[in-house]
Amino acid sequence: MISVPKPVTVRVPAKVNLYLGVGSADFTGYHDLATVFQSVSIFDEVTIKEAPELKITVSGLNSTQIPLDSSNLVWRAAQLFAQACGVDPNISIHIEKKIPIAAGMAGGSADAAATLVACEAFWKSEIPRDQLDAMAAALGADVPFMLHGGCALGTGRGDVLAPIMTRGHYYWVFATFNQGLSTPSVFAMSDALRRDEVVQTPEVPAEVLQALSQGDARALGRHLHNDLQSAAIALQPRLQDVLDYGRESGALGAIVSGSGPTCAFLVADESTSIDLVVALMSSGLVDNALRAHGPVHGPRVIQAID
Ligand code: C5P
């Protein structure tokens, strides 16, 4: 009797860039980055089941915006994995979305990383870690970090990872918007804004790494930085008001998350995070406000029926 693989569910967190330094673009159009990623506790769930052919379904907030065909990174992740194992990707993939979409929190990359982990458990295939990392890098610049999680330094396109020493537990509030921003257009705007400047090779400042190694949220708050922030604000000017409002309401630091438009506020503790969510929601400046903490671990199988 042929045994049918059992459904597998993987939970995967979002990310925020604590520091995002952007250099110049290479001939492929990708920019040289120096960034510090941290995984935060807003999770998508990806479930894989046996099916007649590859199929994607999505549920959750704003999920109608997500493509269900081969333009979805999840589709390409499943195909890439199946090809490496020599199987047909006859699976259905359901994505339960909690990570805001087109928001600068790497939701699509998170789902692709979760799909790789789910495929590995579903087909019980032991792919060497470096091969899985190479698949992740082929899917997108953020996918290698989303496969690992925790906290890491990213260089190259953001896909060359190195571990960093981090202590402590950081409390966040994320202000989100129903209208997303396209990552390529934010990078293009950033290039346009800097066209008369000599763009330096990006480097993560020692102060950021020191704050993390000491678990010093106040120092980290002072040194949060994102080179894409002015481009995101140029495309959605109200983000400046949101960042100012968060700082005035007690955040230790405020930045646009990744390519935006989500605004990330580092706060001192849980009770401040509750107060800030209430303040942001009543300000009328944002569509939603979410609490989270980090760092959290990367994608994990949470259900595999044996
Ligand atoms: O790799 P990924 O598909 O996630 O990247 C999305 C877009 O973001 C790229 O097409 C590119 O426009 C931009 N990008 C970049 N430099 C990076 C990473 C992403 O210009 N290092």
Side-chain angles (χ1 to χ4, degrees):
M1 198 176 81
I2 300 166
S3 75
V4 175
K6 300 291 191 298
V8 171
T9 300
V10 170
R11 199 167 82 132
V12 63
K15 63 85 185 162
V16 61
N17 301 79
L18 308 179
Y19 185 91
L20 179 53
V22 179
S24 39
D26 65 15
F27 69 97
T28 64
Y30 271 85
H31 294 72
D32 190 22
L33 303 184
T35 188
V36 176
F37 294 105
Q38 186 183 88
S39 295
V40 293
S41 62
I42 299 170
F43 298 97
D44 281 357
E45 284 183 13
V46 173
T47 300
I48 289 187
K49 289 187 183 141
E50 177 95 348
E53 59 186 4
L54 186 54
K55 184 177 181 254
I56 299 176
T57 54
V58 190
S59 59
L61 189 70
N62 296 328
S63 55
T64 51
Q65 295 174 16
I66 293 180
L68 304 177
D69 58 14
S70 59
S71 64
N72 191 318
L73 216 49
V74 155
W75 183 292
R76 287 172 28 218
Q79 276 187 324
L80 207 57
F81 194 95
Q83 205 176 8
C85 308
V87 295
D88 290 324
N90 293 336
I91 50 174
S92 70
I93 307 173
H94 181 72
I95 311 166
E96 171 63 37
K97 291 260 12 134
K98 296 240 174 60
I99 303 176
I101 297 161
M105 300 191 78
S109 301
D111 298 340
T115 300
L116 294 178
V117 173
C119 284
E120 197 176 24
F122 184 75
W123 284 307
K124 297 192 173 22
S125 40
E126 281 174 19
I127 297 268
R129 190 71 204 195
D130 55 351
Q131 202 183 336
L132 210 59
D133 285 340
M135 277 187 222
L139 289 164
D142 282 341
V143 186
F145 174 71
M146 302 316 276
L147 190 61
H148 282 256
C151 193
L153 184 70
T155 53
R157 295 175 165 193
D159 55 347
V160 181
L161 300 177
I164 51 179
M165 168 74 166
T166 174
R167 277 204 186 86
H169 200 66
Y170 300 88
Y171 296 91
W172 293 97
V173 172
F174 294 96
T176 68
F177 304 90
N178 292 335
Q179 198 195 337
L181 277 174
S182 121
T183 303
S185 46
V186 177
F187 273 99
M189 174 59 88
S190 171
D191 287 343
L193 292 174
R194 302 193 300 183
R195 69 180 162 261
D196 297 327
E197 286 173 31
V198 179
V199 176
Q200 306 291 335
T201 303
E203 208 176 328
V204 175
E207 290 85 348
V208 174
L209 302 175
Q210 198 178 355
L212 283 170
S213 71
Q214 294 175 345
D216 185 341
R218 274 177 201 284
L220 183 63
R222 282 196 301 277
H223 292 103
L224 294 173
H225 175 80
N226 180 358
D227 272 348
L228 293 179
Q229 185 159 303
S230 33
I233 292 170
L235 292 164
Q236 280 197 22
R238 71 169 159 161
L239 298 183
Q240 186 64 62
D241 298 333
V242 177
L243 294 171
D244 292 344
Y245 186 86
R247 281 191 201 100
E248 286 156 17
S249 306
L252 302 175
I255 42 166
V256 166
S257 176
S259 55
T262 299
C263 293
F265 303 98
L266 183 64
V267 293
D269 50 34
E270 204 161 4
S271 84
T272 317
S273 74
I274 296 168
D275 292 346
L276 184 54
V277 165
V278 173
L280 284 165
M281 291 304 287
S282 57
S283 72
L285 290 168
V286 309
D287 292 320
N288 202 3
L290 305 167
R291 294 194 299 125
H293 60 87
V296 293
H297 61 67
R300 293 263 171 99
V301 175
I302 56 166
Q303 192 200 8
I305 304 162
D306 269 327

